[in-house]
């Protein structure tokens, strides 16, 4: 009786149960993640004031920013696309950057995302106002340099983890008088012919850049390498043969592309083979498994064969850590380029960068005309602009000593804030785009709950974030990701003891974990404040469907919608549990 006596007398809400109260949503970033939200939010929600802020001149995210020669996806292109918008016309098994960027731009146009995107708008800060229950954003128009303030009920950081370039912290970098560029800040106007070019790094970007630069007339490359790495076969030869492809020919012929365009069934079969392979090699991530040991033996032999002209490179490059500790990189042509006469493979540590080149700790000086920093991104840090949650706590502080977010999506003390591809979002195999689609669907469900059930805020409980962090740490102990390697999967810039980049499990494990939301892990605040009747969201007893509207017969929808065959779940006669459709995915739905 006590709580009832203290509560505010109930007044029915003068709206139908499904009336959808107005809500403001702001998304930061218009790459794969932001574009997906730009499709699903208007599709699945109503009465949303929706905007996507993008600091660049176009949508496309990392595929708009990264334009270095050889830039391409390092997973099969047919697995790196939206599930609902397959592209039959990829020119190569690993599609080049320009095609991926064009695919994203085309998808955004096709599904009306551009309506909501504000280009050349850079978010400079975000601060939670706990009195107003809103996020306050400071945004700058880069074309006019005008700054303005915006607010939002829901804030989503859809920046991804490959958007903030990490420059090498080497003394003298700013003193170099030649051309300096980062792989994510490429100068497309620079002429590399007859130049002495230094490339720092041997991660995914460098492995794609080096083969392209090596072929340029008169170019002399100095590759500064400090880390061992596996350069894996482009894709399993057996799978390539299943796909009807020559493992040594990664480009699709015009005939193959036309066949995909004319036969959706063949395209689907092709995609299924790729997905099944990517989703059934989870064993390779576990220490000591037959698949892991077999891969180590096979890839080491392959690397030695390709580096036979300069076996000393193989001796340095082939790691002692397991395959996958660092991100697996196919690298077509990389090893072949390293043994060419115009490439110098340098393992001596860099002492400093001078006005004319690089000084090594061995005392040797390397003269250069251009310096390429293929040194990756800041993947284990907060966004490069301040985000302040409750009690003025910054996300940077919250991510110290390492970043963690419940199911990679939400952080305690940051109400109504979500991240796409946040900490522990990447996957070691399988489809990353299915991961981000699942995350986007999760966020849409949360927004709908707030909107429909009259909640002002949703906040993850701190205990659940701690539980998640503990789970992650325990899971990764038996995986190759904790081997002794420098990797962006790890905390502290790649050398820490926490795995902060990868999901703790297989891709299918991630999809299942994100499919249904555990609402009990969250705290909620009512828009009417404490002590009010939590059933006010039921409204005035009406549904939009049977109110006068603009639908067929003048209703707000179909008053007999539940009879439509598309909505009816027809059980299998005799033994409903043997329904083959239900057996395609886990029963826990």
């Amino acid at each position: 009786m006590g709580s009832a006596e203290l509560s505010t007398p109930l007044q029915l809400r003068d709206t139908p149960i499904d009336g959808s109260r107005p809500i403001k949503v702001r998304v930061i970033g218009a790459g794969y993640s932001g574009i997906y939200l730009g499709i699903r939010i208007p599709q699945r929600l109503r009465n949303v004031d929706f905007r996507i802020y993008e600091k660049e001149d176009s949508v496309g995210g990392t595929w708009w920013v990264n334009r270095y020669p050889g830039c391409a996806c390092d997973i099969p292109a047919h697995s790196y696309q939206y599930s609902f918008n397959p592209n039959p016309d990829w020119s190569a098994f690993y599609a080049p950057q320009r095609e991926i960027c064009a695919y994203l731009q085309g998808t955004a146009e096709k599904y009306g995302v551009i309506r909501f995107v504000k280009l050349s708008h850079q978010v400079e800060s975000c601060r939670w106002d706990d009195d107003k229950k809103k996020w306050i954003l400071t945004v700058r128009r880069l074309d006019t340099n005008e700054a303005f303030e915006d607010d939002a009920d829901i804030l989503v950081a859809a920046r991804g983890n490959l958007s903030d370039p990490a420059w090498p912290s080497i003394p003298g970098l700013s003193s170099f008088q030649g051309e300096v560029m980062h792989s994510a800040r490429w100068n497309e106007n620079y002429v590399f012919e007859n130049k002495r070019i230094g490339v720092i790094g041997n991660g995914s970007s460098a492995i794609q850049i080096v083969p392209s630069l090596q072929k340029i007339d008169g170019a002399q490359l100095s590759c500064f390498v400090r880390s061992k790495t596996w350069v894996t076969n482009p894709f399993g030869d057996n799978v390539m043969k299943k796909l009807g492809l020559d493992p040594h020919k990664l480009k699709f012929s015009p005939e193959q592309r036309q066949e995909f365009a004319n036969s959706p069934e063949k395209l689907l079969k092709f995609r299924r083979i790729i997905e099944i392979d990517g989703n059934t090699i989870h064993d390779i991530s576990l220490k000591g498994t037959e698949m892991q040991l077999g891969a180590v033996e096979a890839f080491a032999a392959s690397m030695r064969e390709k580096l036979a002209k300069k076996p000393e490179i193989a001796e340095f490059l082939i790691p002692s850590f397991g395959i996958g500790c660092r991100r697996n990189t196919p690298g077509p042509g990389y090893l072949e380029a390293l043994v060419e006469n115009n490439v110098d493979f340098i393992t001596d540590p860099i002492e400093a960068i001078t006005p004319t080149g690089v000084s090594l700790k061995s005392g040797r000086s390397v003269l250069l005309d251009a310096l390429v920093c293929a040194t990756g991104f800041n993947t284990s840090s907060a966004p490069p602009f301040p985000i302040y949650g409750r009690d003025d706590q910054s996300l940077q502080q919250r991510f110290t000593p390492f970043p963690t977010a419940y199911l990679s999506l939400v952080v305690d003390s940051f109400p109504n804030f979500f991240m796409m591809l946040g900490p522990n979002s990447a996957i070691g195999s399988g489809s990353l785009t299915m991961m981000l689609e699942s995350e986007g669907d999760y966020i849409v469900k949360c927004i709908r709950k707030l909107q429909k059930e009259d909640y002002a805020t949703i906040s993850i409980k701190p205990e659940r974030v701690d539980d998640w962090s503990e789970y992650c740490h325990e899971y990764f102990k038996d995986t190759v990701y904790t081997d002794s390697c420098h990797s962006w999967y790890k905390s502290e810039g790649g050398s820490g003891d926490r795995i902060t980049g990868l999901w703790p499990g297989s891709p299918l494990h991630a999809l299942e974990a994100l499919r249904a939301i555990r609402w009990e892990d969250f705290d909620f605040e009512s828009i009417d404040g404490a002590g009010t009747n939590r059933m006010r969201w039921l409204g005035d007893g009406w549904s939009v469907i049977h109110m006068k509207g603009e639908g067929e017969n003048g209703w707000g929808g179909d008053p007999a919608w539940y009879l439509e065959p598309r909505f009816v779940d027809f059980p299998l006669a005799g033994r409903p549990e043997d329904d083959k459709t239900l057996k395609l995915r886990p029963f826990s739905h």
Side-chain angles (χ1 to χ4, degrees), residues 20 22 43 101 137 154 164 185 199-200 287 352 443 468 535:
S20 298
Q43 177 196 20
C101 192
L137 287 69
I154 305 292
D164 183 22
R185 295 291 182 266
V199 180
I200 300 176
K287 294 179 180 180
I443 292 169
W468 162 259
M535 302 305 290

Side-chain angles (χ1 to χ4, degrees), residues 46 243 247 404 413:
R46 294 293 178 267
L243 295 169
T404 184
S413 299

Side-chain angles (χ1 to χ4, degrees), residues 33 77 98 105 117 123 127 136 318 328 354 389 459 515 583:
S33 299
R98 292 184 186 276
Q105 292 168 334
V117 179
V123 175
R127 188 180 297 273
I136 309 301
I318 295 175
N328 289 338
T354 68
S459 304
R515 193 144 61 101
K583 291 185 175 183

Side-chain angles (χ1 to χ4, degrees), residues 39-55:
I39 296 169
R40 295 306 191 195
I41 286 178
Q43 177 196 20
R44 296 175 178 174
L45 301 173
R46 294 293 178 267
N47 217 7
V48 177
D49 179 336
F50 182 44
R51 191 174 295 172
I52 302 172
Y53 288 123
E54 171 54 59
K55 63 182 174 64

